[in-house]
Amino acid sequence: MYKIVKRRELNPTVVMIEVEAPLVARSAEPGQFIILRTDEDGERIPLTVADFDRERGTVSVIFQIVGATTYKLSLKGEGDYLRDFAGPLGMPTKTEGINKVCIVGGGVGCAIALPIAKKLHGMGVKVTSIIGFRSKDLVILEDEFEAVSDELVVMTDDGSYGREGNVCVPLKEKLEGGETFDKVITIGPLVMMKFVTLTTKPFGIPCVVSMNPIMIDGTGMCGGCRLSLVKDGERVTKFACVDGPDFNGYEVDFDEAMLRSSMYKNFERHAYDAACNLLKKEEV
Amino acid sequence: MAKVNMNIGRQPMPVRSPEERRRDFLEVALGYTEELALNEASRCLDCKTMPCVSGCPVNIAIPEFISKIKDGDFEGAYKVINRSSSLPAVCGRVCPQENQCEAKCVRGIKSEPVAIGRLERFVADLHNAREREKTEPVSNNGKQVAIIGSGPAGLAAAGDLASFGYGVTVFEALHTEGGVLSYGIPEFRLPKSIVKKEVDNLKAAGVKFLTNTIIGKTLTVDELFDMGYEAVFIGSGAGLPNFMGISGEGLNGVYSANEFLTRSNLMKAYLDSPDTPIMKGGKVAVVGGGNVAMDAARVAARLGAEKVYIVYRRSMQELPARREEVEHALEEGIEFMLLTAPVEILGYNNPDDKRDAKNGFVSGMRCVKMELGEPDEKGRRSPKVIEGSEFEIELDCVIMAIGTSPNPLIKSTTEGLEVNRRGGIIVNEATGATSREGVFAGGDAVTGAATVISAMGAGKLAAAAIDKYLKEKD
């Protein structure tokens, strides 16, 4: 059992929890993920490491309430326990050989982007962060990004905060204005990452994307997290859990990944409704 | 000596009828009654040459345990088996006896072999049903051994090492112990209560289990030595599922057998309101002909599929699955498309409506018919495509059950651990010793996908070798 030592709501649907897991905290690195189960017979869900404290032996994860499991997870408070918490899984984000980086985060993906920005900033890398949200009330981690970025641009789709528009707008302006980066690292919704790669491609800058597909074991056993890379016209199957989650954005077949991410959409909607109904009944 | 009965045939295993069992997950085979067991035991000739023992990967003293059954000493029979096997209730159910002990049985020459596996299961189940005398932990000799993986190899090694007096910790990556016994083999063939019992027995004997701990990620093999473990056994299993590399394998509704079975078995997606989803119903094709393929097909049928096909490129004769599993599958209405190979998985795509919920899902599979050529050096006849034989079947789900490749997690984080060209860990076959001092390995991590009993045998072999190694080290 793994104790939740701290819980914080970042916006109405995004929650951060800090969990006691000393063995995971010992070796976790930015870009890696964990798999947790809330309760016995619960679903295994992968969540990327948002922060870790080796001394306190804790790992923080940030999640958005999107389905039955994340809803149940959101109901756990400080002092409550998670049934399982395994990791760190996947390969850490590569941080070598970078002097100047642009980090592009979208929505809850910013939670994953932050530790990478933090690590690079700590290494003396010049960090430009572009973070985007749908509207003002969904903005998260602005102060945290401010602290680890040489430049921070906040975007909202509806213009209710920061600049209006999506993250590709300032990215494109910078690149067209002659700014260069050794690497662009982007984390967020698949469609956003796809458009970030399309934006950077004409400028020949390496673009790394962080994939977060459906998976079960996270150790390379089930193959559910597979995605296709297209390398020199050849399709190659990779497993996000052991080969990733970071991939060369120019090789990822995003259209397939988007379809695969919707495999259990109907099931999830029903499960979410069922979980909510069940809890409503318990309240009565 | 008990008399040999030459007049009765092999006693049939009582099974639930296909109509009754095809839609539920309760165990198919019910096990021998005492009468059936005594009858079957009486068929054993108690040969002095004991050919059956040589067919057993762990050399169980088969005529000796059957003699005990003849005498009505069922617990004595269990003790004989238990000398060589850590998991009799498991192996009595899942061993391919027809290719092992029973293949060598002298009775099989003129009639049918003695049903050794069914007798093993009978005594093991009787033993498990009995009130247990509490297993006391053997006094610890102060030395610690780490076991990686709690599948059949790891459980066998852990049991033996604990009984030798070592402090044993088993590291398991998943949240439940048992490895393939938990995530792979379905409930109707191996009830999870049996696996739990085996694990609980080891816990009572002092073995510690650490779940959610991935060696190669959470901790490395070198860190295990730093923590004070003096020897390490790697029984991490087979790993990455293979795909065919044909077009359409990324479509929704295409599973590896590992994923499909894990969702159903480990995550209990077969229950009424599971948290973990799985595709239920529709038309399902399972590609492959091994036991895993049979398991996946029978799970799909139980989850409510209207049609389940086994698609296999050779003929019935070459099917690698156990005969009994094939027979059960046939009885349950699984349709065998033999001498057939997939060439493309077809997907649904509505060009007029990008939001059509069926877009990206499997709609069918294009296949070719095959014929068998001349036998190769191993005697296996390799299949060849019949020109112009292409045809399509309508499907909602495709399950790839065509084997696995070794998992790279431990290899890539353990310096000096040598692996073969296929990624299997290289060991001394007599001891399980790897290229790293103090590191032993066995089971699928070494051989690639094989059987429960051979993994168990490798675990026992390594346990003896670890004992010898640690004693000589002093």
Side-chain angles (χ1 to χ4, degrees):
Chain A
M1 300 287 268
Y2 303 80
K3 190 176 177 184
I4 297 173
V5 293
K6 207 167 147 196
R7 181 185 185 281
R8 184 156 73 97
E9 283 177 18
L10 303 184
N11 75 28
T13 62
V14 175
V15 181
M16 173 158 93
I17 49 172
E18 185 179 347
V19 179
E20 242 175 38
L23 280 183
V24 185
R26 233 181 100 261
S27 53
E29 289 290 342
Q32 291 189 294
F33 64 95
I34 58 92
I35 285 193
L36 64 78
R37 287 200 315 160
T38 53
D39 302 284
E40 188 66 50
D41 291 344
E43 191 182 7
R44 290 172 69 94
I45 57 163
L47 291 171
T48 307
V49 171
D51 200 3
F52 48 85
D53 186 326
R54 304 215 202 278
E55 272 165 38
R56 277 162 57 88
T58 61
V59 174
S60 298
V61 290
I62 296 177
F63 60 93
Q64 185 163 25
I65 305 166
V66 289
T69 299
T70 43
Y71 179 61
K72 286 181 199 169
L73 182 58
S74 74
L75 301 175
K76 299 252 180 193
E78 288 178 9
D80 287 344
Y81 287 83
L82 301 176
R83 176 67 178 71
D84 300 290
F85 195 88
L89 296 159
M91 306 299 284
T93 297
K94 288 196 183 104
T95 48
E96 311 87 56
I98 306 175
N99 294 313
K100 196 162 179 253
V101 72
C102 183
I103 307 240
V104 184
V108 74
C110 294
I112 308 162
L114 178 64
I116 299 166
K118 190 172 160 186
K119 181 171 178 184
L120 286 165
H121 181 75
M123 290 164 68
V125 175
K126 192 158 186 278
V127 177
T128 299
S129 299
I130 303 172
I131 56 176
F133 307 90
R134 280 213 309 279
S135 61
K136 186 183 175 187
D137 52 342
L138 298 177
V139 174
I140 57 169
L141 302 172
E142 187 188 1
D143 294 344
E144 286 84 347
F145 266 103
E146 187 74 64
V148 297
S149 306
D150 295 274
E151 188 194 351
L152 173 66
V153 182
V154 184
M155 304 293 295
T156 53
D157 292 349
D158 63 359
S160 54
Y161 190 75
R163 274 184 66 185
E164 182 176 340
N166 67 52
V167 291
C168 293
V169 176
L171 178 64
K172 196 170 177 191
E173 281 171 11
K174 285 180 187 302
L175 295 172
E176 282 179 345
E179 225 180 301
T180 58
F181 301 100
D182 299 314
K183 214 178 227 182
V184 172
I185 299 175
T186 180
I187 302 157
L190 288 166
V191 63
M192 182 202 94
M193 293 196 287
K194 177 181 171 177
F195 280 96
V196 169
T197 62
L198 291 175
T199 304
T200 55
K201 197 163 189 185
F203 299 91
I205 297 171
C207 182
V208 173
V209 299
S210 175
M211 303 297 282
N212 185 18
I214 296 167
M215 58 177 75
I216 309 177
D217 63 300
T219 65
M221 187 270 281
C222 82
C225 66
R226 67 188 180 279
L227 52 100
S228 300
L229 301 186
V230 182
K231 281 187 181 179
D232 311 322
E234 290 250 325
R235 287 180 80 80
V236 194
T237 297
K238 291 280 174 189
F239 298 120
C241 67
V242 288
D243 300 317
D246 289 357
F247 291 95
N248 176 348
Y250 300 134
E251 294 176 348
V252 172
D253 181 345
F254 280 104
D255 294 337
E256 181 188 87
M258 281 186 252
L259 285 171
R260 284 187 66 76
S261 72
S262 67
M263 174 145 176
Y264 297 108
K265 223 176 192 168
N266 279 331
F267 178 95
E268 277 158 14
R269 196 169 306 130
H270 289 145
Y272 182 51
D273 291 346
C276 295
N277 286 337
L278 197 69
L279 285 154
K280 269 182 211 137
K281 263 185 225 155
E282 277 169 10
E283 278 166 21
V284 175
Chain B
M1 206 182 101
K3 244 177 59 190
V4 179
N5 191 337
M6 299 298 287
N7 299 324
I8 55 167
R10 181 172 159 110
Q11 303 291 289
M13 175 63 118
V15 292
R16 295 196 301 130
S17 74
E19 295 71 38
E20 186 195 333
R21 73 189 194 230
R22 72 201 303 170
R23 295 294 185 208
D24 71 34
F25 280 82
L26 300 175
E27 198 170 11
V28 168
L30 298 169
Y32 272 171
T33 59
E34 189 175 321
E35 188 192 354
L36 285 169
L38 288 169
N39 284 343
E40 187 61 30
S42 74
R43 297 181 62 236
C44 176
L45 300 172
D46 200 9
C47 312
K48 288 286 158 282
T49 52
M50 301 188 288
C52 50
V53 177
S54 68
C56 173
V58 297
N59 303 120
I60 292 172
I62 294 164
E64 189 184 340
F65 97 72
I66 295 181
S67 292
K68 298 267 185 203
I69 296 178
K70 289 178 189 173
D71 298 342
D73 179 8
F74 303 134
E75 186 60 18
Y78 178 83
K79 285 192 175 131
V80 172
I81 300 174
N82 203 211
R83 285 205 310 256
S84 322
S85 167
S86 320
L87 308 164
V90 174
C91 294
R93 285 173 167 79
V94 303
C95 259
Q97 291 100 359
E98 69 268 30
N99 305 325
Q100 300 177 345
C101 51
E102 294 178 15
K104 308 269 172 141
C105 177
V106 174
R107 289 294 309 261
I109 300 168
K110 286 198 173 153
S111 101
E112 286 179 295
V114 174
I116 301 165
R118 295 170 187 175
L119 291 173
E120 178 184 28
R121 171 179 164 169
F122 169 75
V123 294
D125 285 356
L126 255 189
H127 171 85
N128 282 342
R130 203 166 293 140
E131 191 69 40
R132 282 297 168 82
E133 12 173 325
K134 232 182 133 219
T135 328
E136 288 296 324
V138 177
S139 63
N140 193 319
N141 64 18
K143 289 183 186 298
Q144 303 291 321
V145 179
I147 310 276
I148 304 171
S150 65
L155 292 180
D160 280 9
L161 286 163
S163 73
F164 300 156
Y166 294 94
V168 179
T169 307
V170 182
F171 297 89
E172 168 56 50
L174 292 171
H175 56 263
T176 302
E177 302 92 347
V180 72
L181 307 176
S182 289
Y183 74 73
I185 304 176
E187 181 77 16
F188 58 82
R189 206 150 75 77
L190 178 66
K192 300 307 148 222
S193 56
I194 291 173
V195 181
K196 189 173 181 299
K197 201 153 216 163
E198 301 292 356
V199 172
D200 286 346
N201 285 345
L202 291 176
K203 285 181 182 169
V207 175
K208 283 197 220 83
F209 285 86
L210 277 184
T211 53
N212 296 326
T213 313
I214 305 106
I215 304 302
K217 286 288 171 193
T218 315
L219 294 165
T220 63
V221 168
D222 290 292
E223 285 168 331
L224 292 175
F225 283 108
D226 294 343
M227 289 163 73
Y229 294 100
E230 294 187 50
V232 173
F233 174 73
I234 304 171
S236 54
L240 305 162
N242 294 339
F243 288 89
M244 293 184 72
I246 59 175
S247 165
E249 285 180 315
L251 289 164
N252 288 342
V254 181
Y255 287 103
S256 74
N258 269 5
E259 179 182 1
F260 188 73
L261 291 171
T262 301
R263 282 180 183 273
S264 181
N265 301 334
L266 179 75
M267 305 312 297
K268 305 196 176 86
Y270 69 86
L271 299 175
D272 279 342
S273 51
D275 283 0
T276 301
I278 194 165
M279 278 185 75
K280 294 180 180 179
K283 299 190 182 78
V284 181
V286 180
V287 180
N291 288 322
V292 174
M294 299 305 133
D295 283 346
R298 296 170 70 196
V299 166
R302 282 162 171 78
L303 289 174
E306 52 184 277
K307 191 101 211 158
V308 184
Y309 305 99
I310 290 274
V311 177
Y312 179 58
R313 62 196 181 128
R314 292 186 166 91
S315 72
M316 202 58 143
Q317 223 181 340
E318 290 84 16
L319 266 182
R322 290 179 66 198
R323 190 86 330 216
E324 185 181 298
E325 307 308 331
V326 176
E327 276 161 20
H328 283 164
L330 282 167
E331 287 167 11
E332 288 165 15
I334 310 293
E335 201 173 299
F336 284 67
M337 296 183 83
L338 301 165
L339 292 164
T340 303
V343 287
E344 183 185 0
I345 302 169
L346 308 166
Y348 191 84
N349 182 21
N350 183 347
D352 301 328
D353 183 2
K354 284 213 169 265
R355 290 178 176 276
D356 189 328
K358 284 188 337 207
N359 281 347
F361 279 80
V362 170
S363 64
M365 190 158 73
R366 209 148 49 80
C367 302
V368 284
K369 298 302 285 180
M370 311 292 279
E371 61 188 350
L372 293 178
E374 291 304 309
D376 59 15
E377 63 271 27
K378 281 183 189 157
R380 280 240 287 195
R381 298 175 63 192
S382 58
K384 287 187 308 197
V385 176
I386 300 176
E387 291 301 322
S389 65
E390 272 188 16
F391 66 101
E392 285 178 13
I393 45 174
E394 222 176 87
L395 292 172
D396 303 286
C397 178
V398 176
I399 301 167
M400 289 292 172
I402 51 171
T404 55
S405 311
N407 193 311
L409 286 186
I410 293 175
K411 176 196 73 181
S412 63
T413 53
T414 311
E415 222 174 289
L417 186 71
E418 283 174 20
V419 298
N420 63 28
R421 156 178 78 74
R422 293 190 313 276
I425 300 170
I426 297 172
V427 298
N428 174 337
E429 274 179 37
T431 61
T434 68
S435 55
R436 276 283 302 266
E437 193 192 328
V439 180
F440 298 74
D444 286 3
V446 169
T447 57
T451 59
V452 169
I453 185 108
S454 57
M456 196 197 80
K460 289 184 75 73
L461 196 78
I466 288 169
D467 182 41
K468 187 162 174 274
Y469 163 75
L470 290 177
K471 278 182 178 145
E472 281 171 3
K473 213 178 114 193
D474 282 341

